Amino acid sequence: MIKVGIVGGTGYTGVELLRLLANHSGVSVEVITSRSEEGVRIDDMYPNLRGHYDLQFTVPDVEALSECEAVFFATPHGVAMKMAPELVERGVKVIDLGADFRIKDLELWSQWYGMEHTSPELAAKAVYGLPEVNREAIKGAQMLACPGCYPTATQLGFLPLIENKLIDHRRLIADVKSGVSGAGRGANIGSLLCESSESMKAYAVAGHRHLPEIKQGLSEAAGRPVGLTFVPHLTPMIRGIHATLYGKLKDPTDGLQELFEARYADEPFVDVMPAGSHPETRSVKGANICRISVFRPQNDDTVVVLSAIDNLVKGAAGQAIQNMNIMFGLDEAEGLKHAGMMP
Amino acid sequence: MIKVGIVGGTGYTGVELLRLLANHSGVSVEVITSRSEEGVRIDDMYPNLRGHYDLQFTVPDVEALSECEAVFFATPHGVAMKMAPELVERGVKVIDLGADFRIKDLELWSQWYGMEHTSPELAAKAVYGLPEVNREAIKGAQMLACPGCYPTATQLGFLPLIENKLIDHRRLIADVKSGVSGAGRGANIGSLLCESSESMKAYAVAGHRHLPEIKQGLSEAAGRPVGLTFVPHLTPMIRGIHATLYGKLKDPTDGLQELFEARYADEPFVDVMPAGSHPETRSVKGANICRISVFRPQNDDTVVVLSAIDNLVKGAAGQAIQNMNIMFGLDEAEGLKHAGMMP
Amino acid sequence: MIKVGIVGGTGYTGVELLRLLANHSGVSVEVITSRSEEGVRIDDMYPNLRGHYDLQFTVPDVEALSECEAVFFATPHGVAMKMAPELVERGVKVIDLGADFRIKDLELWSQWYGMEHTSPELAAKAVYGLPEVNREAIKGAQMLACPGCYPTATQLGFLPLIENKLIDHRRLIADVKSGVSGAGRGANIGSLLCESSESMKAYAVAGHRHLPEIKQGLSEAAGRPVGLTFVPHLTPMIRGIHATLYGKLKDPTDGLQELFEARYADEPFVDVMPAGSHPETRSVKGANICRISVFRPQNDDTVVVLSAIDNLVKGAAGQAIQNMNIMFGLDEAEGLKHAGMMP
Amino acid sequence: MIKVGIVGGTGYTGVELLRLLANHSGVSVEVITSRSEEGVRIDDMYPNLRGHYDLQFTVPDVEALSECEAVFFATPHGVAMKMAPELVERGVKVIDLGADFRIKDLELWSQWYGMEHTSPELAAKAVYGLPEVNREAIKGAQMLACPGCYPTATQLGFLPLIENKLIDHRRLIADVKSGVSGAGRGANIGSLLCESSESMKAYAVAGHRHLPEIKQGLSEAAGRPVGLTFVPHLTPMIRGIHATLYGKLKDPTDGLQELFEARYADEPFVDVMPAGSHPETRSVKGANICRISVFRPQNDDTVVVLSAIDNLVKGAAGQAIQNMNIMFGLDEAEGLKHAGMMP
């Protein structure tokens, strides 16, 4: 059994890690930390876990964490970059669900995240954990940066088009809708049921932190800098991201369906749906899967890709476990084989 | 008091007409029809109206309806075009909330609606009831075609840019999110709470009936045919439409905020929000208002317009009453002065 | 125009007062206070009010408030009891939507609210603002205590049975379900959409602050102390209270329907529904009405009363305005005549 | 691998069986039937199952079903009683999730279900599948009647009190709240999102079909006929039942917490929560567990029990699989070990 630790276990990605790891045959969660909830049983905070764990939150402590073989950071940005270097040095494999190691250009990172990066050396070595792009590098990673939720849905949808240079890389549009859990478990007025249910809104249209991350990934795939307009929206549901992606085809193109199917044929967690399908986020609720469909409306030169994930699973905790499985040479799907929950 | 009739009063636009007209000082609802609910009191079907009306549904009857000065059709397409001609001939002003008289090109209409149009002469005279474009024509209309909900939100958002030829008219993108009431009160499995809550999906990406209507309006404003990709989405809420509109600026343009403010300065039911605002659909819930904001993210050449309405009010019943007020020379805002409901 | 002030206008009862008063023909809101939001325009905080008010939040100030003829307190308990005495002394009529003046037994008040009452003299003079019980006293009130939301729904449901001594007054059960807005606009984790949607729970089963208030009202009606088990529940919706009330009939009783109809025949804001109806909270959404129905299942000796209100309207702001109308000799229904919003 | 068939697989209990059985190590679903969807792939109807099954709906056929060792009926009442006798005769173990075999008094059954029972002999042999009461009988059952969702939550909550004769058995009150999935996947207007979200209502107060089932179970536990008032409510969520149960203690009683803990100490799927807890339905979402807590408010003689289940799991498909595990001598928890989904 691989000994696992979780730093910052009180948020939604933390409890989702716990929910998923409870069904993983190869790991044992040994440590879970939270400064504010020290001494609280995790199942007092999350009663869905009653009977599954006998664990309390402890104060983060490098000694205790370095007894683990893998440590997940489910923390706001700025935390992992402080603790990860020592853990990695001691041989622990670190998997960061936060934003500290996603962006390679640390000046850019500083602009968007408003602080200096304190761990540039480790950032240079970190592997971006999108298995559908980086599987080989992930196998050998010591420091793994899990993609954000918006970037996962958006990149997986655009990749087949970008990699094959089928669309104008300067004019990508990503109109993406997220459930409220994407905003985390913080006590923000905007996330209250009375503020966010029975309503829809865009936010951060002028600029969102996931923009540089998506551009970085798509630019790598394109082999040159892409131009992207990214508009995130808050949707009145708990879980789910639905990306609606628009690109301008360079030439009239048939065979987009086959192209997408071929691109993801061997991917266990990307499902290209039959032509004409519209993926619903509820079909991926609780499951580590991205469902995609592709359209060319009116046979015109605009291609529309629909891409749906559960932001807490394929967009966070599930993808983190998928990465862990790859890093430790386990079955990539271990702990992630269950179906989504409909209704 | 203007005598008013409503044909097809059992659906959501019908009950919303009743709710709003109950507060209108200048009209009296005399007739309301429904084949299926003949003899049922309207407040048995809609208990929110208890104490406000003493009316029963009757079978549609031209004699009874022609006693009215105005008749609203809140019916599926194909109904109004059969009954309206005789009513108009008898001097009744007809306001159709359905789709029969929206599209001028009746061949196009037939393609999208799958039937022959039986009233081409009246269709030729019908006025498209978007007051922000057509107010003068509406004043003299006998046959008024209310815009669809998606077309209202989309056109009001694009108009200032299109009319001023600021964006490439061939590459418009409208990514629009609707609450479930847009699908009507029919007993469809897809509209069940268990199917449509906690989920988000696009639908009809290959082609939706509101596409030709939006293109017609925007093409008129542009003075030439526009190209439009329109993707509607089903959002887990009862009411609300949020349009996110994308255009490519021909030239670097400042002053978009002022342009929008000037365009709608005298419009009682379009609210251009302060720069940087993100309109929420809940801010227009129950109210006859369209809130708009405009962005140029990263100062790039893509312009993003956000446009929010209540699909049942400014997108249907409220706009119909606004049109009626104009047609009868009343205060345009009568019956429509209340604020939206937050929370 | 009656000059009105509102203390504590940032919460949900505050904005609801503003929404409703915007349609009231006889008042003008002159002052609205909030310590934390001083200088902020109310329509920046609540965009639904854009175009309806030109007001900013100011710091609470007795001088400014005493220019008003009526002052509403939409504040947590402990605020009104400090400011109200001076306002009343200066001739202002004070209407408290909070809990400071609801309970006559101030020792009991202190037990449940955890502080000393600082204004016992005014508390003694305060009138409990349930018009269906206290209309005459309300007419002359200088200090008006608006009932809580749970107490309004529960008392209106039980009153006909209690006043007529039909049920065992020692064994009342009130199982009451509230929307999340009842918890206010505070940034509490429990009120997040992700915590409170797609879930149902009871809370405060061991004791809730509305228990002594309900017991006080029902004991007065009974002429002796009643015994009550009161279990509040958090329901995944924004607005609405549904009380399900259980009593044991002393004797087999027919005519309960008629009894209820007679009791409320002259009440403008209580609607006894036809026998066999089940009131839905959505039928009262946004409206100042309590809908009630009464059952005797299986013709047994248990009577079940169903009572539905909008907690922010008949349970708070609407009832406060109804009380104001009575206090100032206006039409009791002024500003409150609109129908609820379905769907 | 045990070969399993499902009759009536298109409803919510059918798809939930499929979701759960996909993770069961000991069964293989061989046949799934639906008259209306013959030939449709189950993952076209339920895309969450894509990748988990390669199955199509077939017309119900006794020959094909009798190749299975276990057949689940996820059908409306009246179906299982026609097909089950022949299957049982051929040695198939039948597990009915519907209502045909729950009630022992077939006259009573006919009154409530409005039809004659066509299989009285098998009904006499059928075992009521509440493992916490009937485990030994279930082990040998050929014909298993799964309890309804309301009866499961209500009986598990009342049993410790009833079995120990602590409360007045003549005056039980069950105020129970259900998510909309309890109404099934039928295209009923009342189950539309626009009709059932943002609202709460009671229904069937005069009498609900689960009343006689609950009374039967509790009367057996009490050793004499109980009196019960049962009021079901429709709650705006997909999944979940929350029962709030009221009883009158015969004597002042301490130790209720210990009593409940002892009663369910060995039960894998009943979780008595710590004293003072309030179970939320979301803590059991997707999981086969009933969480219970018990209160004596104000130390008075009314006992309040809170009981929460997922109506589709412990209230239907999960309990059916639990019963199957017992009937086939498997680990009772196989396929049911996963945690609920929060948030």
Side-chain angles (χ1 to χ4, degrees):
Chain A
M1 299 290 269
I2 297 167
K3 290 182 184 175
V4 160
I6 300 173
V7 179
T10 63
Y12 293 143
T13 51
V15 63
E16 191 70 354
L17 275 172
L18 290 167
R19 181 179 77 90
L20 295 171
L21 290 174
N23 284 334
H24 194 295
S25 65
V27 305
S28 160
V29 181
E30 302 286 326
V31 182
I32 182 156
T33 79
S34 163
R35 266 183 215 290
S36 59
E37 306 293 334
E38 187 194 354
V40 173
R41 286 183 58 89
I42 60 172
D43 53 7
D44 278 353
M45 183 160 227
Y46 290 112
N48 62 322
L49 300 177
R50 286 173 59 84
H52 293 276
Y53 289 98
D54 185 19
L55 265 180
Q56 298 179 6
F57 292 108
T58 55
V59 169
D61 170 62
V62 171
E63 286 307 315
L65 289 168
S66 61
E67 302 286 309
C68 300
E69 292 158 83
V71 169
F72 294 93
F73 281 82
T75 46
H77 63 273
V79 176
M81 70 183 182
K82 297 215 180 83
M83 296 179 65
E86 190 172 347
L87 290 171
V88 170
E89 201 166 292
R90 295 187 183 205
V92 179
K93 294 182 198 250
V94 173
I95 301 169
D96 183 18
L97 286 80
D100 289 3
F101 297 96
R102 291 174 186 163
I103 308 248
K104 289 297 172 189
D105 178 341
L106 294 187
E107 246 180 80
L108 188 67
W109 188 88
S110 289
Q111 279 170 34
W112 284 94
Y113 289 92
M115 55 176 74
E116 284 303 296
H117 203 291
T118 62
S119 183
E121 287 171 36
L122 191 54
K125 290 184 212 154
V127 175
Y128 187 70
L130 194 62
E132 292 77 9
V133 172
N134 267 355
R135 187 170 282 109
E136 285 311 306
I138 294 167
K139 286 179 183 168
Q142 285 297 111
M143 177 69 231
L144 196 290
C146 282
C149 49
Y150 287 125
T152 297
T154 303
Q155 291 178 80
L156 291 176
F158 268 135
L159 277 174
L161 299 169
I162 295 282
E163 291 170 346
N164 290 285
K165 302 191 188 308
L166 297 180
I167 55 175
D168 184 346
H169 66 285
R170 298 161 306 177
R171 302 204 56 76
L172 308 175
I173 290 175
D175 187 292
V176 195
K177 300 88 177 166
S178 173
V180 182
S181 64
R185 194 164 170 271
N188 304 309
I189 285 180
S191 302
L192 296 177
L193 181 138
C194 295
E195 303 285 316
S196 56
S197 76
E198 266 298 301
S199 195
M200 160 60 77
K201 68 167 177 179
Y203 67 100
V205 178
H208 183 283
R209 284 168 173 168
H210 285 174
L211 176 66
E213 181 187 342
I214 302 171
K215 286 177 81 166
Q216 168 183 283
L218 295 180
S219 297
E220 262 177 50
R224 49 196 173 175
V226 301
L228 172 70
T229 301
F230 166 55
V231 178
H233 297 75
L234 194 67
T235 309
M237 58 189 183
I238 299 175
R239 289 168 179 246
I241 283 187
H242 185 287
T244 313
L245 309 173
Y246 302 88
K248 182 179 181 303
L249 288 167
K250 293 180 187 167
D251 300 296
T253 311
D254 287 329
L256 292 176
Q257 177 73 21
E258 293 72 21
L259 178 84
F260 273 71
E261 289 178 2
R263 173 61 177 86
Y264 292 122
D266 296 330
E267 286 300 336
F269 294 120
V270 180
D271 174 22
V272 178
M273 298 188 74
S277 303
H278 300 89
E280 304 175 71
T281 63
R282 68 190 187 113
S283 82
V284 303
K285 192 164 53 183
N288 192 57
I289 189 90
C290 177
R291 294 199 203 284
I292 292 181
S293 63
V294 57
F295 288 84
R296 194 148 72 81
Q298 321 291 311
N299 294 318
D300 213 335
D301 66 351
T302 298
V303 58
V304 178
V305 181
L306 313 176
S307 164
I309 61 170
D310 183 326
N311 55 307
L312 296 180
V313 190
K314 184 61 178 165
Q319 188 149 262
I321 293 169
Q322 183 183 355
N323 279 314
M324 180 197 73
N325 288 338
I326 298 171
M327 292 161 76
F328 283 86
L330 307 174
D331 172 5
E332 188 171 332
E334 177 52 32
L336 304 170
K337 291 172 181 164
H338 55 282
M341 198 165 84
M342 285 176 77
Chain B
M1 300 290 269
I2 298 167
K3 290 181 184 176
V4 160
I6 299 173
V7 179
T10 61
Y12 293 143
T13 52
V15 64
E16 191 69 355
L17 274 172
L18 290 167
R19 181 179 77 91
L20 295 170
L21 290 174
N23 284 337
H24 193 295
S25 65
V27 305
S28 160
V29 181
E30 301 286 326
V31 181
I32 182 157
T33 78
S34 162
R35 267 183 214 289
S36 59
E37 305 293 333
E38 187 193 355
V40 173
R41 286 182 59 89
I42 61 173
D43 52 7
D44 278 353
M45 183 159 226
Y46 290 112
N48 61 322
L49 301 176
R50 285 173 58 85
H52 293 275
Y53 288 98
D54 185 18
L55 265 180
Q56 298 177 6
F57 292 108
T58 55
V59 168
D61 170 62
V62 170
E63 286 308 314
L65 289 166
S66 61
E67 301 288 308
C68 299
E69 292 158 83
V71 169
F72 294 94
F73 281 82
T75 45
H77 63 272
V79 175
M81 72 182 182
K82 296 212 180 86
M83 296 180 65
E86 189 170 348
L87 291 171
V88 169
E89 202 166 291
R90 295 186 184 207
V92 179
K93 293 182 199 253
V94 173
I95 300 169
D96 183 18
L97 285 80
D100 289 3
F101 296 96
R102 292 173 186 163
I103 308 249
K104 288 298 172 188
D105 178 340
L106 295 187
E107 246 179 79
L108 188 66
W109 188 89
S110 289
Q111 278 170 34
W112 284 93
Y113 288 92
M115 56 175 74
E116 284 304 294
H117 203 292
T118 63
S119 183
E121 287 171 36
L122 191 54
K125 289 184 212 154
V127 176
Y128 188 70
L130 194 62
E132 292 77 8
V133 172
N134 267 354
R135 187 171 281 108
E136 285 311 306
I138 294 167
K139 285 179 185 169
Q142 286 296 111
M143 178 69 231
L144 195 291
C146 282
C149 49
Y150 286 125
T152 297
T154 303
Q155 290 177 82
L156 291 175
F158 268 134
L159 278 174
L161 299 169
I162 295 282
E163 291 169 347
N164 290 285
K165 303 191 188 307
L166 297 180
I167 55 174
D168 183 346
H169 65 284
R170 297 163 305 176
R171 304 205 52 78
L172 309 175
I173 290 175
D175 187 291
V176 196
K177 299 88 177 168
S178 173
V180 182
S181 65
R185 197 167 169 271
N188 304 310
I189 284 180
S191 301
L192 297 177
L193 181 137
C194 294
E195 304 283 317
S196 56
S197 76
E198 267 297 300
S199 194
M200 159 61 76
K201 67 167 179 180
Y203 67 100
V205 178
H208 184 282
R209 283 167 173 169
H210 285 174
L211 175 67
E213 181 186 343
I214 302 171
K215 286 177 80 167
Q216 170 183 282
L218 294 180
S219 296
E220 264 178 49
R224 48 192 172 175
V226 302
L228 172 69
T229 301
F230 166 55
V231 178
H233 297 74
L234 193 68
T235 309
M237 58 188 184
I238 298 175
R239 288 168 179 248
I241 282 187
H242 185 287
T244 312
L245 310 173
Y246 302 88
K248 181 181 182 301
L249 288 167
K250 292 178 187 169
D251 300 297
T253 312
D254 286 330
L256 292 176
Q257 177 72 21
E258 294 72 21
L259 178 85
F260 273 71
E261 288 178 1
R263 172 60 178 85
Y264 292 122
D266 297 330
E267 286 299 336
F269 295 119
V270 180
D271 174 22
V272 178
M273 299 188 73
S277 303
H278 301 89
E280 304 175 72
T281 63
R282 68 191 188 114
S283 83
V284 303
K285 193 165 52 184
N288 193 57
I289 189 88
C290 176
R291 295 201 203 283
I292 291 180
S293 63
V294 57
F295 288 84
R296 194 147 73 81
Q298 321 291 310
N299 292 319
D300 213 335
D301 65 351
T302 297
V303 58
V304 178
V305 183
L306 312 176
S307 165
I309 61 170
D310 183 326
N311 55 307
L312 296 180
V313 191
K314 184 61 177 166
Q319 187 149 266
I321 293 169
Q322 184 183 354
N323 279 314
M324 180 197 73
N325 289 337
I326 298 171
M327 291 161 76
F328 283 87
L330 306 175
D331 172 4
E332 188 170 331
E334 176 53 34
L336 303 170
K337 292 172 182 164
H338 55 283
M341 198 165 85
M342 284 175 77
Chain C
M1 299 293 267
I2 298 167
K3 291 182 184 174
V4 160
I6 299 174
V7 180
T10 61
Y12 292 143
T13 51
V15 65
E16 191 69 356
L17 275 171
L18 290 166
R19 182 179 77 90
L20 295 170
L21 290 174
N23 285 336
H24 193 294
S25 66
V27 305
S28 161
V29 181
E30 302 285 327
V31 182
I32 182 157
T33 78
S34 162
R35 267 182 214 289
S36 59
E37 305 292 334
E38 188 194 354
V40 173
R41 287 183 58 89
I42 60 172
D43 53 7
D44 278 353
M45 183 160 226
Y46 290 111
N48 61 322
L49 300 176
R50 284 172 59 84
H52 293 277
Y53 288 97
D54 185 18
L55 265 180
Q56 296 178 6
F57 292 108
T58 56
V59 169
D61 170 62
V62 170
E63 286 307 316
L65 289 167
S66 61
E67 300 287 308
C68 299
E69 293 158 83
V71 169
F72 294 93
F73 281 82
T75 45
H77 62 273
V79 176
M81 71 184 183
K82 297 216 179 81
M83 297 179 65
E86 189 170 348
L87 291 171
V88 169
E89 201 166 292
R90 295 186 183 207
V92 179
K93 294 183 199 251
V94 173
I95 299 168
D96 183 18
L97 285 80
D100 290 3
F101 296 97
R102 292 173 186 163
I103 308 250
K104 288 298 173 189
D105 178 342
L106 295 187
E107 244 179 81
L108 188 67
W109 188 89
S110 290
Q111 279 169 33
W112 285 92
Y113 288 93
M115 55 176 74
E116 284 303 296
H117 203 291
T118 62
S119 184
E121 286 170 36
L122 191 54
K125 289 184 211 154
V127 175
Y128 187 71
L130 194 63
E132 292 77 8
V133 172
N134 267 354
R135 187 170 281 108
E136 284 312 305
I138 294 167
K139 285 179 184 168
Q142 285 297 112
M143 178 68 231
L144 196 290
C146 283
C149 48
Y150 286 126
T152 297
T154 303
Q155 290 178 80
L156 291 176
F158 269 134
L159 277 173
L161 299 169
I162 294 282
E163 291 170 347
N164 290 285
K165 303 191 188 307
L166 297 180
I167 54 175
D168 184 346
H169 65 285
R170 298 161 306 176
R171 304 205 54 78
L172 308 176
I173 290 175
D175 187 291
V176 196
K177 300 87 177 169
S178 173
V180 182
S181 65
R185 195 166 170 270
N188 304 310
I189 285 181
S191 301
L192 296 176
L193 181 137
C194 295
E195 304 284 316
S196 56
S197 75
E198 266 297 302
S199 195
M200 159 62 77
K201 68 166 179 180
Y203 67 100
V205 178
H208 183 283
R209 282 167 174 169
H210 284 175
L211 175 67
E213 181 186 343
I214 302 172
K215 285 176 80 166
Q216 169 182 282
L218 294 180
S219 296
E220 264 178 49
R224 49 193 171 176
V226 302
L228 172 69
T229 301
F230 166 55
V231 178
H233 297 74
L234 194 67
T235 309
M237 58 189 184
I238 298 175
R239 289 168 179 248
I241 282 186
H242 186 287
T244 313
L245 309 173
Y246 302 88
K248 181 181 182 302
L249 288 167
K250 291 181 189 167
D251 300 296
T253 311
D254 286 329
L256 293 176
Q257 177 72 19
E258 294 72 22
L259 178 84
F260 272 71
E261 289 179 2
R263 173 60 178 85
Y264 292 122
D266 296 329
E267 286 299 335
F269 294 119
V270 180
D271 175 22
V272 178
M273 299 189 74
S277 302
H278 300 89
E280 304 175 72
T281 62
R282 69 192 187 112
S283 82
V284 302
K285 192 166 52 184
N288 193 57
I289 189 89
C290 177
R291 295 201 203 282
I292 291 180
S293 62
V294 56
F295 287 84
R296 192 148 73 82
Q298 322 292 311
N299 293 318
D300 212 334
D301 65 352
T302 297
V303 57
V304 178
V305 182
L306 312 177
S307 165
I309 62 171
D310 183 326
N311 55 307
L312 296 180
V313 191
K314 183 62 176 165
Q319 187 149 266
I321 293 170
Q322 184 182 354
N323 279 314
M324 181 197 72
N325 288 338
I326 298 171
M327 290 161 76
F328 283 87
L330 306 175
D331 172 4
E332 187 171 330
E334 178 52 34
L336 304 169
K337 292 172 181 166
H338 54 283
M341 198 165 84
M342 285 175 75
Chain D
M1 299 291 267
I2 297 168
K3 291 182 183 176
V4 160
I6 299 174
V7 179
T10 62
Y12 292 143
T13 50
V15 64
E16 190 70 355
L17 275 172
L18 289 167
R19 182 178 77 90
L20 295 171
L21 290 175
N23 284 335
H24 193 295
S25 66
V27 305
S28 161
V29 181
E30 301 286 326
V31 181
I32 183 158
T33 80
S34 162
R35 264 182 218 291
S36 60
E37 304 294 334
E38 188 194 354
V40 173
R41 285 183 59 89
I42 61 173
D43 53 6
D44 278 354
M45 183 160 227
Y46 290 111
N48 62 322
L49 300 177
R50 284 172 61 84
H52 293 276
Y53 288 97
D54 185 19
L55 264 181
Q56 298 179 4
F57 292 109
T58 55
V59 169
D61 171 61
V62 170
E63 286 307 315
L65 289 167
S66 60
E67 302 286 309
C68 300
E69 292 158 83
V71 169
F72 294 93
F73 281 83
T75 46
H77 63 272
V79 175
M81 71 184 182
K82 295 214 181 85
M83 295 179 67
E86 189 171 349
L87 290 171
V88 169
E89 201 166 294
R90 293 185 184 209
V92 179
K93 293 182 199 254
V94 173
I95 300 169
D96 183 19
L97 285 79
D100 290 2
F101 296 97
R102 291 174 186 161
I103 308 247
K104 288 298 172 189
D105 178 340
L106 295 187
E107 246 179 80
L108 189 66
W109 188 88
S110 290
Q111 279 170 35
W112 285 92
Y113 288 91
M115 56 176 73
E116 284 303 296
H117 203 291
T118 62
S119 183
E121 285 170 37
L122 191 54
K125 289 184 211 154
V127 175
Y128 187 70
L130 194 62
E132 293 77 9
V133 171
N134 267 355
R135 188 170 281 110
E136 285 310 307
I138 294 167
K139 285 179 184 170
Q142 286 296 113
M143 177 70 232
L144 195 290
C146 282
C149 48
Y150 286 125
T152 297
T154 303
Q155 291 178 79
L156 291 176
F158 268 134
L159 277 174
L161 299 169
I162 295 282
E163 291 170 346
N164 291 285
K165 303 191 187 306
L166 296 180
I167 55 175
D168 183 345
H169 65 285
R170 297 161 305 176
R171 303 205 54 76
L172 308 176
I173 290 176
D175 188 291
V176 195
K177 300 87 176 168
S178 172
V180 182
S181 64
R185 197 167 168 268
N188 304 309
I189 285 181
S191 302
L192 296 176
L193 182 139
C194 294
E195 304 283 316
S196 56
S197 76
E198 266 297 301
S199 194
M200 161 60 77
K201 68 168 179 180
Y203 68 99
V205 178
H208 183 283
R209 283 169 173 168
H210 285 174
L211 176 66
E213 181 186 342
I214 303 171
K215 287 176 80 166
Q216 168 183 284
L218 294 181
S219 296
E220 261 177 51
R224 48 195 173 174
V226 302
L228 171 70
T229 301
F230 166 56
V231 178
H233 297 74
L234 193 68
T235 309
M237 58 188 183
I238 299 174
R239 289 169 180 246
I241 282 187
H242 185 287
T244 313
L245 309 173
Y246 301 88
K248 182 179 182 301
L249 288 167
K250 292 180 188 168
D251 301 296
T253 312
D254 285 329
L256 293 176
Q257 177 72 21
E258 294 72 22
L259 178 84
F260 273 71
E261 288 178 1
R263 173 61 178 84
Y264 292 123
D266 297 329
E267 286 299 335
F269 295 118
V270 180
D271 175 22
V272 177
M273 298 188 74
S277 303
H278 301 88
E280 305 175 71
T281 63
R282 68 191 187 113
S283 82
V284 303
K285 193 165 53 183
N288 193 57
I289 189 89
C290 177
R291 294 201 203 283
I292 292 180
S293 63
V294 56
F295 287 85
R296 193 148 71 83
Q298 322 292 312
N299 293 319
D300 213 334
D301 66 350
T302 297
V303 57
V304 178
V305 182
L306 312 176
S307 164
I309 61 170
D310 182 326
N311 54 307
L312 296 180
V313 191
K314 184 60 178 166
Q319 187 149 265
I321 293 169
Q322 184 182 354
N323 279 313
M324 180 197 72
N325 288 338
I326 298 173
M327 291 160 76
F328 283 87
L330 307 174
D331 172 4
E332 187 170 334
E334 176 53 32
L336 303 169
K337 292 172 182 166
H338 55 282
M341 198 165 84
M342 285 175 77

